[in-house]
Amino acid sequence: MLIKDIQNEILKLKKENDICILAHCYQSPEILEIADFTGDSFALSVSASKVKNKTVIMCGVRFMAETCKILSPEKKVILSNPIAGCPMAEMMDKEVIEQVKQQFPDYTVVAYINTTSELKTVCDVCVTSSSALTICKKLESNKILFIPDCNLGNWIAKQLPEKEFKLLNGGCPTHAKMTAQDVKKAKELHPSALFLVHPECKPEVVELADYVGSTTGIMSYAQKSEAREFIIGTENSIVTHLQLSCPDKSFYPLSKDCICSNMKATTLVDVLNCCKGIGGEEIVLDEDVRLKAKACIDKMIELG
C-alpha cells in the first residue's frame, strides 16, 4: 500500500468509528496529516476533552495518553504504540518522591507534565514547559521542589531568584545529548542563523540560545520571525515540520542525534490498526489515582 492509501483508510475508519486522533509534534508528517489535533502534550489532552468522539487515539507516549484519560474518563483512550514510553516520566516514582517530601516538608512539589499519573498524585501542581515560569512565580511558597527535569527547573530557577528551588537529577536523555560544542559547530556552519532551544536542554546549551521555549513555542517563533535561518535545538522532527511549513526559510538541526526513539516508535500502520480495533493499548486508570492526579492538573489550570 502507498502512504496515501493508508491515510485514506484511516480517515474513513475514524469517521465510521467515531475516533479522534491526537498527534504530538514529534510524530512524522504522514501521521500529523491524518490527526484531528497536533501540538504539545497537554494541549492535545485539553482538545480531546472538548470533542464529542467516544474514542481517542494518542500518537505520542504513555504519559500523554494517561493525561488524556485523566481529563476524559468517559472516553476510550488508546495509546497507538504500547512500547512508546518516556524515560524522563519513568525515572522517578511515587515512593521516591514521598521520601524526598519527608526530607523537605515545607517545599511545594511542582511536577512537569512529563510524569506518570501515579507520580502526579503526590505532587502539588503540574506545569508544562510553556506555563512553568508563570505558575512557579504565582505560587505562594518560596520553596519549590521541581521534578523531574533539572534542566527545565534550572531555567525557571534562574528567572525567579527570589524563590528557592530544590532540583533532582532527572531529565530528557534526548535533549541532554546536545552540548555547547554542538552549538559552536552549528553556528560555525550557519553564522547567520538564530538558535532556538527547548529548556529541557542542558544549561550551557540554553544559555547560548536566541530563544528558549516549548516545542510549539519554537515553531511559532520561527514561523513569525523575519529571520531566514534557524538552528533548532529540540527533537529533529521539528526541523522537518518547519521546512515543510516555511519553505522560504532554512532550518538546521543542532545535532543529528537529537531523535526520540519512543516518539518514532509509532507508525502510520499502528494508527491504522488502532482504527481497526486490533492495535494499540487502552489506557485504564484507577479512579482514585485519576482524581488525585487531576487535582495536580486542576491547580495548574487555576494558576496558569
Side-chain angles (χ1 to χ4, degrees):
M1 294 178 73
L2 298 175
I3 289 176
K4 196 64 180 177
D5 295 331
I6 300 174
Q7 289 178 317
N8 287 335
E9 181 68 11
I10 290 172
L11 294 174
K12 180 176 76 74
L13 287 171
K14 76 172 184 176
K15 185 176 182 180
E16 292 175 355
N17 298 325
D18 193 27
I19 295 171
C20 173
I21 298 178
L22 311 175
H24 189 271
C25 295
Y26 293 166
Q27 295 295 310
S28 62
E30 60 265 26
I31 291 177
L32 295 184
E33 287 172 357
I34 51 85
D36 295 287
F37 299 99
T38 64
D40 284 333
S41 61
F42 183 66
L44 291 175
S45 297
V46 172
S47 296
S49 71
K50 296 178 180 179
V51 300
K52 295 180 180 179
N53 306 82
K54 296 179 181 178
T55 299
V56 175
I57 297 174
M58 172 61 79
C59 302
V61 297
R62 184 169 296 274
F63 84 83
M64 298 177 186
E66 288 186 356
T67 304
C68 189
K69 186 65 177 179
I70 290 170
L71 298 185
S72 302
E74 77 287 357
K75 299 182 188 295
K76 182 177 183 179
V77 177
I78 300 172
L79 176 60
S80 54
N81 189 314
I83 68 169
C86 173
M88 172 163 54
E90 297 160 2
M91 63 178 50
M92 294 180 190
D93 58 29
K94 176 182 175 181
E95 288 71 25
V96 168
I97 298 306
E98 284 181 324
Q99 291 175 14
V100 176
K101 286 176 66 176
Q102 291 177 5
Q103 297 177 46
F104 306 99
D106 53 342
Y107 279 70
T108 296
V109 183
V110 177
Y112 192 19
I113 193 72
N114 298 42
T115 44
T116 65
S117 55
E118 186 176 60
L119 181 51
K120 287 182 176 73
T121 64
V122 294
C123 299
D124 298 303
V125 62
C126 200
V127 297
T128 64
S129 54
S130 57
S131 69
L133 178 60
T134 298
I135 290 172
C136 287
K137 189 174 184 179
K138 287 184 178 180
L139 289 174
E140 291 183 7
S141 173
N142 284 327
K143 294 184 177 181
I144 296 173
L145 172 62
F146 193 100
I147 61 169
D149 191 345
C150 61
N151 291 327
L152 175 59
N154 178 76
W155 182 64
I156 300 299
K158 287 183 176 179
Q159 297 175 79
L160 297 175
E162 70 276 15
K163 292 182 181 278
E164 182 179 336
F165 280 74
K166 182 68 64 176
L167 306 175
L168 302 184
N169 188 25
C172 171
T174 300
H175 283 97
K177 288 180 182 178
M178 295 182 282
T179 66
Q181 186 63 26
D182 289 327
V183 181
K184 180 182 177 181
K185 290 180 179 178
K187 288 193 171 184
E188 287 175 351
L189 288 171
H190 312 289
S192 300
L194 294 182
F195 176 40
L196 317 183
V197 71
H198 197 287
E200 289 178 17
C201 289
K202 294 177 180 177
E204 57 266 33
V205 173
V206 173
E207 289 170 359
L208 299 172
D210 296 293
Y211 171 81
V212 183
S214 65
T215 304
T216 51
I218 288 173
M219 295 181 71
S220 178
Y221 183 93
Q223 290 163 347
K224 295 176 181 178
S225 174
E226 294 182 1
R228 313 311 297 171
E229 294 183 273
F230 305 87
I231 299 165
I232 304 300
T234 189
E235 218 278 344
N236 286 346
S237 57
I238 300 306
V239 174
T240 302
H241 301 328
L242 285 170
Q243 288 172 338
L244 293 173
S245 64
C246 304
D248 57 328
K249 298 179 179 181
S250 297
F251 300 93
Y252 317 107
L254 173 58
S255 168
K256 63 180 176 60
D257 297 320
C258 192
I259 298 173
C260 177
S261 58
N262 282 279
M263 282 292 186
K264 295 298 182 285
T266 299
T267 68
L268 192 63
V269 173
D270 287 337
V271 184
L272 175 62
N273 289 336
C274 288
C275 290
K276 289 180 177 180
I278 59 173
E281 177 187 335
E282 181 178 359
I283 299 299
V284 178
L285 296 179
D286 177 85
E287 184 63 4
D288 183 58
V289 169
R290 189 191 74 81
L291 290 174
K292 288 180 179 178
K294 185 174 183 295
C296 180
I297 294 174
D298 287 343
K299 188 64 176 179
M300 172 177 69
I301 295 172
E302 176 191 331
L303 294 174

